[in-house]
Amino acid sequence: GAVVSQHPSWVICKSGTSVKIECRSLDFQATTMFWYRQFPKQSLMLMATSNEGSKATYEQGVEKDKFLINHASLTLSTLTVTSAHPEDSSFYICSARGAPGGASYEQYFGPGTRLTVT
Amino acid sequence: ELKVEQNPLFLSMQEGKNYTIYCNYSTTSDRLYWYRQDPGKSLESLFVLLSNGAVKQEGRLMASLDTKARLSTLHITAAVHDLSATYFCAVDSGYALNFGKGTSLLVTP
């Protein structure tokens, strides 16, 4: 149990285009989903937190107009990188928090999406 | 702001040796997590520590939590090459997880 999937696992796009990344909790309902970004050799940085049906809460320094987050259901959140630029190239990881038959506080991480903007 | 400090950031150790990774954090929290990350992969949950004095062991890894000292340790016993990875601790602020910078571990013959 407690499986989180992400799609796509990797994507290459041209500068100026938009890319959508999906995060799904496969076997539980996620009350909250988190989006992280990880640059090479660095730690995970929280970008935003989203609850189903609510607007996402963005961390300081994260442009909400550039990183659009939609949490349409208890099992799906999407991150859209709009007008992507090479500096947006990174590893994007989502996590979901719910109560898959166990604790409601634990976060379950997706496999990540490698974005490369050329 | 909750700050999480790990040390060392880089660790090269010989197979068969023991070592400890430290994770200090700045404000009160009762939930601390340890994760492993292999190159190009996402996080794998290792341990969830939920109370002062909690100790958990899995194979050659043992994690402990001292909430009064705001310190967690990840002890490696008789290291093997398969343990080579980056290890992160993360502290639950009640809102989100705050991650340490990670410890890049290389186990050599």
Side-chain angles (χ1 to χ4, degrees):
Chain A
V3 177
V4 176
S5 70
Q6 277 184 248
H7 178 79
S9 55
W10 60 270
V11 57
I12 301 173
C13 71
K14 291 188 176 180
S15 188
T17 62
S18 295
V19 174
K20 181 185 283 189
I21 302 170
E22 292 185 351
C23 176
R24 293 181 185 272
S25 56
L26 298 184
D27 52 2
F28 68 101
Q29 293 187 325
T31 52
T32 307
M33 285 185 168
F34 304 84
W35 287 96
Y36 296 85
R37 180 168 53 181
Q38 185 181 34
F39 292 109
K41 307 289 187 187
Q42 294 188 22
S43 187
L44 279 73
M45 296 297 296
L46 180 66
M47 299 176 67
T49 303
S50 71
N51 295 294
E52 184 260 343
S54 304
K55 287 185 180 180
T57 301
Y58 290 82
E59 294 301 296
Q60 193 171 9
V62 177
E63 301 173 58
K64 60 176 131 181
D65 293 332
K66 180 170 183 61
F67 298 99
L68 301 179
I69 292 173
N70 184 280
H71 194 158
S73 75
L74 284 171
T75 58
L76 173 64
S77 178
T78 60
L79 167 68
T80 301
V81 183
T82 62
S83 187
H85 290 283
E87 56 266 31
D88 298 322
S89 298
S90 188
F91 193 43
Y92 292 85
I93 305 174
C94 74
S95 70
R97 184 167 66 194
S104 61
Y105 50 77
E106 190 163 359
Q107 290 187 31
Y108 300 92
F109 286 84
T113 297
R114 175 82 53 197
L115 170 63
T116 302
V117 185
T118 62
Chain B
E1 180 190 345
L2 174 57
K3 293 185 179 179
V4 182
E5 292 187 359
Q6 268 182 256
N7 70 83
L9 299 182
F10 300 96
L11 176 57
S12 179
M13 57 189 297
Q14 283 186 312
E15 283 187 327
K17 299 292 187 182
N18 304 332
Y19 208 83
T20 300
I21 299 170
Y22 297 89
C23 176
N24 290 90
Y25 54 99
S26 61
T27 62
T28 303
S29 175
D30 289 334
R31 288 201 284 263
L32 189 138
Y33 304 79
W34 284 96
Y35 296 95
R36 168 180 172 146
Q37 186 178 38
D38 291 296
K41 303 290 186 181
S42 187
L43 301 183
E44 173 190 350
S45 179
L46 295 175
F47 300 107
V48 180
L49 303 170
L50 300 176
S51 61
N52 186 42
V55 177
K56 291 195 174 180
Q57 183 165 5
E58 181 72 36
R60 302 175 188 274
L61 301 177
M62 183 173 71
S64 66
L65 177 62
D66 181 343
T67 58
K68 293 181 181 178
R70 297 175 187 166
L71 170 69
S72 180
T73 61
L74 179 67
H75 187 73
I76 303 158
T77 301
V80 293
H81 179 69
D82 285 351
L83 290 179
S84 297
T86 299
Y87 294 84
F88 291 96
C89 67
V91 181
D92 194 333
S93 67
Y95 161 67
L97 293 183
N98 292 64
F99 283 83
K101 290 187 176 180
T103 297
S104 181
L105 171 65
L106 176 63
V107 181
T108 58

